[in-house]
Amino acid sequence: MDPLQDNGPPGPATSVYVHVPFCRDRCTYCAFPTVADDPYAHEPLVDALLGEAARAPIAAPLRTLYLGGGTPGLLAPHLIERLVTGLRAHGPWAPEAEVTIEVNPANVTAETLRAWTGCGINRLSVGVQTFRNDALRELARRHDAEAARRALSLVADRWSGSWSADLLIGWRGQEVSDVRRDVEQLMRWEPPHVSIYGLTIEPRTALEARARRGHVVAAPESLHAEMDDTWSAVLHERGYERYEVSNFARAHHRSQHNQAYWANGSYLGLGPGAAGSVHPFRWRNLADPTEYVARIADGRPVREFAERVSPQARLLESLAIGLRTRDGLGTDELDRRFSPAWRTVVEDAAAPLLDQGILQLDDATLRLPPAELVRADRVVSEIAMMVES
Amino acid sequence: MNQAHIRNFCIIAHIDHGKSTLADRMLELTQTVEKRDSRDQQLDDMDLERERGITIKAKAASMDYLKDGIRYRLNLIDTPGHVDFNYEVERALQACEGAVLLVDAAQGVEAQTVHNTMLADQARLEIIPVINKIDLAAARVDDVSEQIENVLTIERERIVPASAKSGIGTKEILDRIVDEVPPPAGDPEAPLRALIYDAEFNDYRGVVMHLRIIDGALNAGDRIRLMAGDTRHEAVEIGIFRPGLEPRKTLGTGEVGYLIANIKTLSAVRIGDTVVLDKDRTSESLPGYRPARPMVFCGIYPVQNKDFDTLRNALTRLQLNDAAFTFTPESSEALGFGFRCGFLGLLHMEIVQERLERESRIDIVQTAPNVTYELVDTEGKTERIDSPAEVPDPTKIVEFREPVVKLDIVTPDEFVGPLMKLAIERRGRFLKQEYIGPGRLILGFRIPLSEIIFDFFDKMKSISRGYATMDYEFESFIADDLVKMRIMVNGDEVDALSTIAHRSHCQSRGRSILRVLRKEIPRHMFKVALQAAVGGTIVARENIAPVRKDVTSKCYGGDISRKRKLLEKQKEGKKRLKMVGNVEIPQKAFLAVLSATDD
């Protein structure tokens, strides 16, 4: 048997992630690289982001751009415009490129919506999390439920592009009935796309510190299954497709950017703390924005971590993210990228899962049956247990 | 040293009745130690003993005491305070002519007090009864005096009231020792015979033997022979305990002291052995010696196979300090390579485990303890087995014998009913019930050792709100309807969870073991079936339902290497779990048998 190889993704990088690290408040669960907002730092950051982009020009037409954070919506419209226009100047763009910005409901106004459209943004990701004020306060979210409703109404009435709403599940005190109320309330505005993430206690977050002191900080995990049943039933009824374990979309509204990640393709990450991957490497930038800006200005490197990913590790990654999707992984693409040796690796590592039908491998795809999608992370950790990486 | 001026004595007491404190006061009063140097409880020098407030290893101290113008040499021989060390207690008593019997004025006579007083009587020791802690508010001096009179048949007029903590009575006790304890007999003209009543390992000096010179004398530099071990050595250094080591040129008849002979391992020295001069070919050994024999066994395994050698080194080191502890390599399908370890009893096992944890940094899995069994096979051969894994096919067994002990429980009478029930449920046979004082009695049972090594002590304490105390003594091996019960996880036998049990107990014990396993084994992707079987019959079953859903976390801004690192970290964590088939079993589950309680 030939050894496992990594021939790389089918094409060059066509996705760019831009990290804007500023936040007015730090959410208690957030482990992203963020810093307290400093309006004077906005403009130098945008210049630095463009500076970093200039170091790695995009060859193929860009298909997705994602402004995440942090709170990119904090940037003044003219800075966002300068950023997006500047990035356009660095290379060709596909005609229908998806350009997303993550926004806090507090930043959504008729003016900002207009301005964002004006700079070429055609997709919004609105961080609603929940409509319960006590939970929003506990999670230290910037907005309250009323602000979320106002933002959603504005988006539903005036936004012509695609958009998504994020909900957070599993906060302290949440009941299954709260999940139903949150999801049903969200349906009033008929978002084309919904992301529902479980609250995880990440290291170096306020929640983790509280948990370490012995406080209850999350809903019991035993409730998650029933919560999932609840939201997935509501969304299914409303015509959403669960195309990834945490993501639901109406027809033609899947996130192109996320799908690029999930295919384990190449993408660039710009900004402090941003991660990128171009075959056969992965890297991450240093997280401190001041240092980042200074180094870009001086022409010094900003990557604090880079690795050549082994074919074994790359296969594990592909499984870890690909098995969370409804479509799973195409066997032709797996054969092409990793050589048919991937089959031995998977068959050895996942024999009991394949035997029990928890993992399915047929001529065209390797995937979880729809009913098993909710256990994707567990399946992956079982497989990871058994493969060398 | 003039033999007539020597007094050798020990203090016998129940745990916490104040033995170490009294010893400290004696050392201070005789100026053997300066008061300002004295840590509390001079004689307990192992941390563990200090923490638990009990003495495990016997220690000694020689004190000089002036009475009526004569300087006496009082040798205190400290005895271990627990049933597991019965043999060591007996040997220590053999080195004395007198015993101070210490009884707590609030607690009264306990099972151990009765037991040790009996041993002291058998050794023909002069007993000086003392009631300690008389200044406690809860002291019941009259009641306790009555108990001493009734149970121990000692006249109450002879009792010394004392409080070791505040020094009350200490001088009177010393005076009584001088007046009542006879000086050692022994023939100074006879060839040397010395009793090894204890030994300890010192990193720099090797083995330090504790000796009582019975006959003759020992000089530094003598060529000596250990009779049971039949080994020859040079007496490199001899001396007395002050309580530190103080070298001497000679130890005469009746004296107590130490001997260092360049011996590197404690297992080369046997407690109860006789030291003679190598040139004396006809000497007879002192009575009572028998090799220490472990009665309780458990498996100790490294969680990671690569730690096997490290574990072996750690166990070897422990054995240097504890000759009664044994270990031999064994392997288990579930746990890989490890060791079967033997202990004198359950407390001894606990002590060794705690020291192992403290002194080495290896993650270990320990299996539930079992006693040693005797099997008679179809050819009439008798064999000892120390592990359920060694049980042969039932058709090859003619008799399956287990160790049975005589158990004494001393308790306030209000708990008699439930304690009786507990002992009888555990296959105990009731032997006697005797009042030893107002509202306090002693219950006697004959009971299989296997039934009291798990949780009997804790149960007894909880039933009696802490008041009852117990002591036991091995009697004999007795045949019964014993079988091996196997535990299966998804059809795979987990050999480390097998137990030997009485046939009539298998169903309820099997159920409770499975219930504990169900709690300890995490949910898997698939259903996990647990079964307990005797021969081909399933006697209990449980299922662990599969995981339904995971918390699905967000992938941080395309930072996929972070996700991969997380998986790798998880993998490291899981490596520390043992796998049986596809099922991960945490270490705690291997103790299921221990924490399982019968219905």
Side-chain angles (χ1 to χ4, degrees), chain A residues 32 166 197-200 202 224-225 228-229 245-246 261 267 282 284 305 307 309 313 317 321 324 356 358 374-375 377-382 384-385 387 389, chain B residues 522-527 546-572 574-575 579 582 584:
Chain A
F32 283 77
D166 273 11
Y197 287 103
L199 177 67
T200 50
E202 303 288 336
H224 277 249
D228 191 291
D229 289 346
V245 61
S246 299
Y261 291 151
Y267 51 89
R282 282 199 179 282
R284 189 170 52 240
F305 159 80
E307 62 173 344
V309 184
E317 289 176 0
I321 46 189
R324 288 169 51 118
Q356 294 168 79
I358 295 171
V374 293
R375 301 201 293 175
D377 284 357
R378 178 68 185 226
V379 171
V380 169
S381 91
E382 300 273 322
M385 227 356 242
V387 298
S389 58
Chain B
R523 287 170 178 246
H524 283 64
M525 293 297 298
F526 40 83
K527 185 176 95 175
V547 173
R548 275 200 60 207
K549 178 182 185 333
D550 285 306
V551 178
T552 48
S553 58
K554 193 158 177 160
C555 187
Y556 278 67
D559 193 351
I560 289 159
S561 57
R562 186 172 177 277
K563 180 158 181 88
R564 199 183 71 234
K565 299 268 151 65
L566 216 65
L567 286 170
E568 279 159 8
K569 212 167 121 192
Q570 254 176 27
K571 181 172 164 180
E572 279 310 302
K574 283 190 178 179
K575 265 193 198 153
M579 298 285 290
N582 296 320
E584 289 157 10

Side-chain angles (χ1 to χ4, degrees), chain B residues 248-518:
Chain B
R248 285 283 190 276
K249 288 206 166 58
T250 301
L251 289 176
T253 305
E255 285 200 273
V256 168
Y258 67 88
L259 162 63
I260 293 171
N262 271 344
I263 298 175
K264 299 296 177 209
T265 63
L266 206 53
S267 50
V269 173
R270 305 174 189 195
I271 307 298
D273 199 356
T274 309
V275 181
V276 296
L277 294 179
D278 190 29
K279 63 183 165 65
D280 299 329
R281 289 289 151 186
T282 53
S283 304
E284 280 188 24
S285 40
L286 297 160
Y289 167 74
R290 62 170 196 265
R293 180 191 283 160
M295 292 296 268
V296 175
F297 291 83
C298 77
I300 294 183
Y301 289 79
V303 171
Q304 309 215 40
N305 289 334
K306 66 176 173 57
D307 287 335
F308 179 81
D309 283 328
T310 321
L311 176 60
R312 193 214 313 267
N313 292 341
L315 294 176
T316 307
R317 223 192 124 66
L318 284 179
Q319 205 179 34
L320 282 178
N321 290 292
D322 184 350
F325 163 63
T326 65
F327 65 98
T328 48
E330 73 168 0
S331 69
S332 143
E333 273 172 43
L335 298 174
F337 290 97
F339 298 93
R340 178 120 297 242
C341 301
F343 311 92
L344 296 172
L346 203 61
L347 178 82
H348 186 214
M349 179 170 81
E350 243 183 81
I351 292 162
V352 171
Q353 282 161 355
E354 280 191 43
R355 288 187 54 194
L356 187 61
E357 273 168 34
R358 188 173 304 194
E359 292 166 21
S360 67
R361 300 216 167 266
I362 319 164
D363 289 319
I364 56 165
V365 174
Q366 177 223 318
T367 65
N370 59 267
V371 299
T372 186
Y373 292 89
E374 264 184 17
L375 292 176
V376 182
D377 66 14
T378 39
E379 282 159 30
K381 264 204 341 259
T382 305
E383 194 197 358
R384 283 259 169 120
I385 60 160
D386 302 332
S387 159
E390 296 171 47
V391 177
D393 189 273
T395 57
K396 300 212 171 80
I397 306 173
V398 175
E399 256 186 31
F400 205 141
R401 298 175 185 154
E402 62 180 337
V404 169
V405 299
K406 214 167 127 295
L407 169 73
D408 283 334
I409 298 178
V410 170
T411 177
D413 54 6
E414 55 186 300
F415 306 116
V416 166
L419 287 174
M420 198 84 102
K421 183 162 169 278
L422 173 69
I424 286 166
E425 276 170 6
R426 300 298 176 90
R427 299 192 285 138
R429 270 189 48 212
F430 175 69
L431 296 179
K432 66 165 185 195
Q433 167 174 345
E434 248 173 61
Y435 267 91
I436 61 174
R440 198 167 172 81
L441 45 74
I442 183 163
L443 296 170
F445 299 93
R446 181 168 290 130
I447 193 167
L449 178 61
S450 65
E451 296 287 345
I452 59 172
I453 62 169
F454 290 136
D455 57 348
F456 189 88
F457 183 78
D458 295 339
K459 282 258 153 85
M460 178 193 78
K461 284 291 180 190
S462 95
I463 286 173
S464 66
R465 285 189 258 121
Y467 285 115
T469 57
M470 64 180 254
D471 207 337
Y472 66 85
E473 193 179 12
F474 171 72
E475 265 198 352
S476 59
F477 280 87
I478 292 183
D480 211 329
D481 190 6
L482 301 170
V483 289
K484 174 177 169 180
M485 179 164 67
R486 296 169 301 135
I487 302 293
M488 268 106 61
V489 173
N490 271 1
D492 292 322
E493 179 175 342
V494 186
D495 52 3
L497 285 171
S498 297
T499 54
I500 295 167
H502 192 266
R503 190 183 299 277
S504 66
H505 284 200
C506 283
Q507 192 172 28
S508 66
R509 177 152 301 167
R511 268 196 212 131
S512 56
I513 291 172
L514 297 191
R515 266 203 306 271
V516 176
L517 286 180
R518 198 179 67 177

Side-chain angles (χ1 to χ4, degrees), chain B residues 17-135:
Chain B
H17 281 200
K19 180 166 78 173
S20 299
T21 314
L22 177 61
D24 285 349
R25 289 303 93 77
M26 289 177 167
L27 293 180
E28 287 161 17
L29 194 79
T30 57
Q31 291 171 333
T32 311
V33 297
E34 295 288 328
K35 188 161 174 113
R36 61 189 154 78
D37 297 341
S38 126
R39 308 187 288 182
D40 268 349
Q41 305 191 354
Q42 284 286 344
L43 294 179
D44 295 355
D45 66 357
M46 280 172 78
D47 286 349
L48 195 70
E49 297 176 30
R50 192 170 290 277
E51 271 168 31
R52 298 172 66 107
I54 54 174
T55 47
I56 296 157
K57 294 295 284 186
K59 290 282 179 301
S62 294
M63 301 172 269
D64 292 328
Y65 184 62
L66 208 62
K67 182 168 189 288
D68 307 327
I70 299 173
R71 209 161 60 96
Y72 290 89
R73 167 68 52 78
L74 309 187
N75 294 316
L76 166 59
I77 292 167
D78 197 11
T79 57
H82 190 272
V83 51
D84 286 351
F85 304 94
N86 226 332
Y87 175 71
E88 290 189 31
V89 175
E90 281 179 39
R91 297 285 70 77
L93 296 181
Q94 210 185 330
C96 308
E97 281 77 34
V100 173
L101 166 68
L102 199 63
V103 182
D104 184 301
Q107 307 288 326
V109 170
E110 305 282 15
Q112 210 174 15
T113 327
V114 180
H115 185 82
N116 285 343
T117 308
M118 213 176 63
L119 292 178
D121 267 342
Q122 279 166 10
R124 293 165 204 258
L125 303 193
E126 183 63 34
I127 292 174
I128 297 164
V130 176
I131 295 185
N132 193 21
K133 309 189 191 179
I134 54 160
D135 49 356

Side-chain angles (χ1 to χ4, degrees), chain A residues 154-277:
Chain A
L154 276 169
V155 171
D157 290 350
R158 300 176 182 226
W159 183 255
S160 56
S162 184
W163 64 283
S164 175
D166 273 11
L167 289 181
L168 186 70
I169 299 297
W171 31 268
R172 186 173 69 96
Q174 190 181 30
E175 304 279 347
V176 176
S177 56
D178 293 311
V179 173
R180 176 177 296 282
R181 269 197 294 275
D182 275 351
V183 180
E184 282 180 346
Q185 185 166 175
L186 184 61
M187 290 300 105
R188 287 195 215 158
W189 297 279
E190 304 198 330
H193 184 281
V194 178
S195 294
I196 301 183
Y197 287 103
L199 177 67
T200 50
I201 313 298
E202 303 288 336
R204 291 179 297 280
T205 59
L207 272 196
E208 192 237 357
R210 246 182 256 164
R212 244 186 299 121
R213 288 195 299 272
H215 296 284
V216 174
V217 296
E221 268 182 52
S222 55
L223 285 181
H224 277 249
E226 204 185 329
M227 289 177 170
D228 191 291
D229 289 346
T230 305
W231 78 67
S232 53
V234 173
L235 291 167
H236 181 74
E237 228 170 76
R238 305 290 186 116
Y240 291 83
E241 177 197 33
R242 186 174 209 167
Y243 71 110
E244 199 253 4
V245 61
S246 299
N247 289 278
F248 300 77
R250 290 204 155 143
H252 315 298
H253 284 283
R254 289 183 176 193
S255 159
Q256 301 303 317
H257 186 81
N258 279 339
Q259 284 185 298
Y261 291 151
W262 300 336
N264 209 2
S266 293
Y267 51 89
L268 300 184
L270 303 177
S277 174

